[in-house]
Amino acid sequence: SDEEMKHLFSTFQDFVNNVFSLPLDLPFSGYRKGIRARDTLQKGIEKAIREKLQSSQGKDYADALDILIESGKEHGNELSMQELKESTIELTFAAFATTASASTSLIMQLLKHPMVLEKLREELRSHGILHNGCLCEGALRLDTIFRLKYLDCVIKEVLRLYTPVSGGYRTALQTFELEGFQIPKGWSVMYSIRDTHDTASVFKDVDTFDPDRFSQDRSEDKDGRFHYLPFGGGVRMCLGKQ
């Protein structure tokens, strides 16, 4: 119901606000608030999962929960209720804050670069999405959005300059050496997305907002696997990417 959704969203905000708290399990601490919010979210999600598992009505789409449930069955490793709840919260967290941040940065850059905005509008008009400054009814279909190549370039450039997440953590699986420094097995390693984008030699004029650098003619991001990584890379790439 709308009331349940409103309550869950408010709880999710509490969870997000306290997810990076100091791990001090004391009354009124951010950590305790975050744990309490997580437990409430898991109860709500468990209710939704049980309703989904009991529902035998067919439908013409699959949501994220359907995919999580089915992928476990396909690989002979059905996810437990706890795993489903935790995966759902992780997926929501991964997609929510990054989308809000990237959208804000996108609007800011379009306002600062009117020529880019007009070129983007022209693409939308040519695909029947925009008419006289208004969104055409029924125009926003996924297959239509995938055809918007310039929009893709604009968003990629926003994520290059203003990546929603500054970096990520990994654990060294074996001892290795990097530029004369030895990193022992078992150490935590942080990689910086922002510094990588700033120093990657493949990007020309790194401080300039230039969506065309991602066009088919230039494809600056294709020259090497890990020069452009707004959502990380490898098997631990961010779940919120799409």
Side-chain angles (χ1 to χ4, degrees):
S1 67
D2 288 346
E3 197 60 39
E4 281 179 312
M5 286 298 291
K6 193 174 178 181
H7 173 64
L8 280 175
F9 184 73
S10 173
T11 305
F12 179 72
Q13 289 281 32
D14 287 340
F15 170 75
V16 170
N17 290 340
N18 293 288
V19 78
F20 294 117
S21 302
L22 289 171
L24 302 173
D25 193 7
L26 301 169
F28 310 112
S29 68
Y31 181 80
R32 182 75 66 87
K33 288 178 187 173
I35 293 290
R36 203 159 48 229
R38 182 205 63 186
D39 292 344
T40 303
L41 283 173
Q42 287 195 356
K43 284 178 186 174
I45 290 167
E46 182 170 348
K47 180 185 174 190
I49 292 170
R50 293 199 182 282
E51 287 173 358
K52 184 178 287 293
L53 292 173
Q54 289 169 4
S55 173
S56 57
Q57 293 180 344
K59 58 181 192 281
D60 60 355
Y61 69 92
D63 59 29
L65 260 180
D66 290 319
I67 293 167
L68 278 172
I69 293 167
E70 290 305 315
S71 67
K73 291 178 182 176
E74 282 175 22
H75 295 93
N77 186 24
E78 202 164 334
L79 295 176
S80 67
M81 177 60 76
Q82 188 61 27
E83 287 172 328
L84 282 172
K85 289 189 292 187
E86 289 177 357
S87 297
T88 304
I89 290 178
E90 184 179 2
L91 182 60
T92 309
F93 173 71
F96 174 79
T98 52
T99 305
S101 172
S103 300
T104 304
S105 299
L106 171 67
I107 292 167
M108 180 179 73
Q109 289 305 302
L110 290 178
L111 289 171
K112 290 173 70 175
H113 299 87
M115 289 177 66
V116 172
L117 176 57
E118 186 48 42
K119 189 173 177 181
L120 194 53
R121 282 176 171 152
E122 183 53 43
E123 181 180 60
L124 296 176
R125 284 192 286 265
S126 69
H127 283 84
I129 293 175
L130 204 64
H131 181 66
N132 291 335
C134 297
L135 184 69
C136 299
E137 192 175 340
L140 278 185
R141 293 173 48 85
L142 207 55
D143 55 349
T144 312
I145 291 171
F146 283 143
R147 291 200 294 270
L148 302 174
K149 301 304 180 188
Y150 188 64
L151 174 63
D152 190 52
C153 293
V154 172
I155 290 172
K156 281 181 176 176
E157 180 68 341
V158 167
L159 295 177
R160 182 187 70 83
L161 280 167
Y162 305 101
T163 175
V165 178
S166 60
Y169 294 93
R170 297 291 183 270
T171 300
L173 298 180
Q174 61 187 40
T175 300
F176 67 96
E177 192 171 290
L178 182 65
E179 296 188 359
F181 294 93
Q182 191 179 76
I183 313 297
K185 177 182 177 180
W187 272 33
S188 290
V189 180
M190 180 184 179
Y191 65 90
S192 173
I193 295 172
R194 288 176 183 161
D195 288 341
T196 301
H197 289 177
D198 283 346
T199 59
S201 57
V202 296
F203 297 124
K204 309 297 182 281
D205 300 320
V206 290
D207 295 328
T208 304
F209 184 74
D210 180 14
D212 287 317
R213 73 173 75 247
F214 292 102
S215 64
Q216 200 166 0
D217 295 336
R218 289 167 61 184
S219 298
E220 290 183 8
D221 60 316
K222 297 294 192 293
D223 192 8
R225 287 182 65 200
F226 298 118
H227 295 300
Y228 179 71
L229 61 166
F231 296 101
V235 293
R236 293 282 300 159
M237 188 177 287
C238 179
L239 280 170
K241 179 181 177 182
Q242 294 302 331

